[in-house]
Amino acid sequence: MLFVDSGLYEQREGSDSHEPLQEMRLPNEWTENDFLKFVKTLPVDAPIALVNWDQYDSYRAQIDAAQAFFSDHKSFLSVFLLKPEKEKKFHRISKLADDASRLAAFDVIAVTEKELGDSLIERMANVARLRDLLDREEVEKPIHVFGALDPLHTPLFFAAGAEIFDGLGWLRYLWSDGVAIHRASLSVLGGHINKGHQQAVEIAQAQSLDMIEKLERRLKNFIKDDGDWSVFGEQRENALEDAFLDMESTL
C-alpha cells in the first residue's frame, strides 16, 4: 500500500523545524490545483491510499471538502486528514461530536501528532477522545497519526486508540534497544567505528527498519496479552504504563 499525501505540509517554510537537521531551502509553490493534476497521473489500479488536500476550517467544512474530493477519486483508499479548526493551533475533539457520524464516509481518519496538543499527555488524550467518539458513533475506522512513528510514542498512541503510524524519525535517528538515539552513536554501539559516514548511516537505517518490524510484532503481542506493557521490554515497561495511566486520569 502506497500512501500519497497532499504535500501541503512540506510546502510550508519551517516544516522540519522540530527535526535535528534543518532544510535551508525555500519551498516551491504548490497549490491545490497542482495536487489535483498530480493525482490524475496516479494509476487507478494501484494499491494507493490517498490523503485529501487538508485545510484549516470548521470540522464540518473540512468534511464537506473531503467528501467532494474523494467522490472524484473513488479508486483509491480515502485517508481524511483532519486539521484543527480555523485559527486554532490544536484539535478540540469535543467540537467534532455533531459531525462524527459523517466520518464513516472515509476509510481512514488521520491527524498529525503536533496538532493533537502541546504536551504528549494531551496528544495521547486527544487520540483517546477521538477513538471514543468514533466508537460511540459506531464508526469502525482506523486512526492514522502522522509523524508518530517512534519506539516510545507509537506504543502510547496505539494504546490510546490509533492503529496507523508514519514518520521520518527512523531516517534521522537510530532505533536501538527500544529508544531513538543519534545515529552517529551506532559506530560505538554496533562496533562499526571503522565504517565511513555514509556506510554507517545506511547500516543505521537498515537496523531501524528491523526495529520497526519488531515494534509491529510487539504491538500485536500487546493486544494478545491484554495490554501487558512488558512486551515492550522491562526497561520501558514501567515508564510506558505510567505515562498511559497518567493520560487516562485526565479523561
Side-chain angles (χ1 to χ4, degrees), residues 167-197:
L168 297 176
W170 67 274
L171 289 169
R172 294 166 171 154
Y173 297 92
L174 165 66
W175 285 29
S176 178
D177 194 27
V179 296
I181 61 176
H182 197 285
R183 63 190 182 191
S185 300
L186 174 68
S187 297
V188 178
L189 295 177
H192 303 298
I193 58 175
N194 62 322
K195 304 296 184 184
H197 172 72

Side-chain angles (χ1 to χ4, degrees), residues 8-127:
L8 181 59
Y9 175 76
E10 289 77 12
Q11 181 266 343
R12 301 186 181 109
E13 285 190 62
S15 62
D16 60 348
S17 60
H18 290 190
E19 303 298 342
L21 176 65
Q22 304 297 306
E23 289 188 57
M24 304 303 294
R25 49 89 180 175
L26 292 176
N28 293 325
E29 183 181 11
W30 182 251
T31 66
E32 185 174 6
N33 284 334
D34 293 325
F35 176 55
L36 293 174
K37 290 178 182 178
F38 169 73
V39 171
K40 290 181 180 179
T41 69
L42 297 174
V44 296
D45 57 345
I48 290 176
L50 185 63
V51 183
N52 61 295
W53 181 264
D54 46 293
Q55 58 182 317
Y56 295 94
D57 208 331
S58 68
Y59 287 138
R60 181 166 298 176
Q62 290 184 56
I63 294 172
D64 289 341
Q67 284 186 316
F69 171 77
F70 287 118
S71 67
D72 293 331
H73 305 94
K74 297 179 180 179
S75 300
F76 308 117
L77 199 73
S78 58
V79 181
F80 172 40
L81 179 53
L82 190 66
K83 307 294 286 185
E85 293 182 292
K86 193 173 184 178
E87 300 180 354
K88 299 297 180 182
K89 188 175 182 180
F90 303 117
H91 280 290
R92 297 183 298 170
I93 299 301
S94 61
K95 298 296 184 179
L96 184 60
D98 290 342
D99 296 288
S101 62
R102 298 180 60 197
L103 297 177
F106 311 107
D107 296 307
V108 177
I109 311 304
V111 290
T112 66
E113 180 189 9
K114 292 177 183 178
E115 292 173 333
L116 284 168
D118 192 39
S119 66
L120 178 57
I121 194 170
E122 182 61 20
R123 294 174 182 181
M124 292 162 54
N126 268 331
V127 168

Side-chain angles (χ1 to χ4, degrees), residues 100-104 109 131 134-135 137-141:
S101 62
R102 298 180 60 197
L103 297 177
I109 311 304
R131 178 77 274 162
L134 294 176
D135 289 346
E137 296 294 334
E138 298 183 351
V139 178
E140 298 181 0
K141 306 293 182 177

